[in-house]
């Protein structure tokens, strides 16, 4: 027992690990809540697209020697607004417009970055995460920003869910669908930006989508899903950090792999929607379906 307690307590003796655990947990909570809306809406692609959209802002901020986080947030939001505006044309599907604008943003980032020699090493933390190098200021920024995001998601929960489930009905009920689209894009963009330090640009989609997808397998109730997704995201982040500390491996990658492991377990073992539950239903329905035929014959 002492061995287990010692293992759990050891990382907390280091200030850099304390910061890492706090940011990882907060990123997991916020990503789980916002990711639930993304999964309900069937817009998993937007997480990957937004992570590309913040890239030009990060590149410009790097060239100008300003905050990478602020730069990424600004261009991510501008690109998200552009995608939301052009998506109002019913001839175009939302994912197609998102693909156009966010790919263009990533291309712009590459062009801007090519003007700054020696950039690759400096942006490694942006691409792959650097959660063990987080400062007290970063912790505060993530905490404050995360609290604002959660408050906005709670305030607009019913409206966002209504638009996610049936846009036309929501519009008929008088809901401002376009404004809610902008809000969701903004929430996703800021969530991606504050999660970059935890897992990096390359892996941020997993933190946004995987916990919410696990929750989707475990429950049919949106309220319960909203609780399960952040719990799974936080658990994945904390376990990934412990593994990173123990085996001296990349924290961002391990966080994502733990979340993926939870998803695989849910896919097999979810009580109603898992593979094993489906097999049990087929076995129980099979004999029952055959009995009437036998009696009739």
């Amino acid at each position: 027992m002492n061995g287990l307690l010692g293992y759990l307590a050891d990382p907390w003796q280091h200030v850099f690990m304390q910061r890492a655990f706090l940011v990882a947990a907060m990123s997991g909570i916020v990503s789980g809540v916002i990711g639930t809306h993304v999964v309900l809406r069937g817009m998993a692609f937007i997480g990957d697209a937004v992570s590309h959209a913040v890239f030009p802002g990060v590149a410009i901020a790097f060239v100008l020697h300003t905050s990478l986080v602020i730069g990424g947030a600004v261009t991510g939001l501008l690109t998200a607004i552009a995608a939301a505006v052009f998506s109002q044309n019913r001839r175009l599907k939302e994912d197609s417009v998102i693909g156009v604008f966010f790919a263009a943003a990533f291309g712009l980032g590459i062009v801007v970055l090519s003007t700054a020699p020696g950039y690759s090493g400096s942006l490694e933390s942006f691409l792959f995460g650097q959660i063990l190098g987080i400062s007290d200021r970063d912790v505060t920024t993530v905490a404050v920003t995360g609290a604002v995001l959660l408050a906005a998601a709670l305030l607009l929960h019913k409206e966002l869910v209504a638009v996610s489930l049936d846009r036309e009905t929501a519009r008929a009920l008088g809901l401002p669908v376009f404004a809610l689209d902008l809000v969701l894009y903004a929430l996703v963009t800021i969530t991606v930006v504050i999660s970059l330090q935890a897992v990096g640009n390359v892996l941020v989609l997993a933190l946004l989508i995987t916990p919410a997808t696990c929750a989707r397998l475990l429950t049919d109730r949106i309220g319960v899903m909203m609780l399960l997704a952040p719990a799974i995201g936080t658990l994945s982040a904390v376990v990934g950090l412990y593994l990173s500390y123990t085996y001296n491996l990349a924290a961002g990658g391990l966080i994502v792999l733990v979340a993926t492991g939870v998803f695989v377990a849910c896919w097999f073992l979810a009580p109603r929607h898992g593979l094993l539950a489906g097999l049990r239903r087929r076995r129980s329905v099979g004999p029952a379906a055959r009995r009437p035929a036998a009696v009739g014959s």
Side-chain angles (χ1 to χ4, degrees), residues 2-281:
N2 289 335
L4 177 60
L5 290 176
Y7 172 77
L8 294 176
D10 189 42
W12 291 90
Q13 299 176 19
H14 307 282
V15 175
F16 71 92
M17 286 300 298
Q18 294 172 13
R19 297 189 191 117
F21 278 120
L22 287 173
V23 168
M26 289 184 289
S27 296
I29 292 171
V30 175
S31 296
V33 172
I34 304 304
T36 298
H37 289 291
V38 175
V39 169
L40 285 174
R41 191 155 166 173
M43 291 174 58
F45 176 59
I46 192 176
D48 187 44
V50 168
S51 69
H52 286 70
V54 302
F55 187 63
V58 170
I60 293 170
F62 174 75
V63 172
L64 299 178
H65 303 290
T66 59
S67 170
L68 302 185
V69 173
I70 293 176
V74 170
T75 57
L77 287 172
L78 290 176
T79 311
I81 290 171
V85 170
F86 281 81
S87 295
Q88 300 309 302
N89 187 323
R90 296 187 181 182
R91 179 70 176 173
L92 302 174
K93 288 191 175 181
E94 194 171 39
D95 60 346
S96 300
V97 176
I98 291 172
V100 170
F101 279 95
F102 288 88
F106 192 71
L108 174 61
I110 294 174
V111 171
V112 171
L113 209 53
S114 67
T115 65
Y119 60 83
S120 57
S122 300
L123 287 181
E124 183 179 353
S125 61
F126 167 76
L127 294 173
F128 304 109
Q130 196 177 27
I131 195 168
L132 301 183
I134 284 174
S135 66
D136 289 332
R137 182 180 178 182
D138 294 328
V139 175
T140 302
T141 300
V142 172
V144 173
T145 308
V148 172
L149 289 173
L150 292 176
L154 179 63
L155 211 64
L156 297 172
H157 172 73
K158 292 182 180 179
E159 290 80 0
L160 290 172
V161 169
V163 174
S164 297
L165 296 179
D166 193 332
R167 291 176 64 83
E168 296 307 318
T169 299
R171 187 176 279 112
L173 291 173
L175 292 178
V177 174
F178 174 63
L180 291 168
D181 285 345
L182 289 177
V183 169
L184 179 59
Y185 285 9
L187 292 176
V188 172
T189 300
I190 304 301
T191 300
V192 166
V193 170
I194 68 171
S195 301
L196 289 178
Q197 290 171 301
V199 294
N201 177 267
V202 176
L203 302 174
V204 71
L205 176 66
L207 197 59
L208 185 70
I209 300 301
T210 306
T213 304
C214 294
R216 183 70 168 160
L217 287 171
L218 293 173
T219 182
D220 294 323
R221 298 175 60 186
I222 295 176
V224 177
M225 188 178 172
M226 284 285 180
L227 296 175
L228 284 176
I232 293 170
T234 303
L235 175 67
S236 301
V238 171
V239 172
L241 275 178
Y242 269 108
L243 294 175
S244 172
Y245 179 82
T246 302
Y247 299 106
N248 194 29
L249 296 172
L254 284 172
I255 290 172
V256 171
L257 289 177
V258 171
T260 305
V262 175
F263 167 75
V264 173
C266 291
W267 190 81
F268 276 105
L269 304 174
R272 291 188 60 187
H273 303 294
L275 177 64
L276 297 183
L279 292 175
R280 285 195 296 269
R281 280 196 299 271

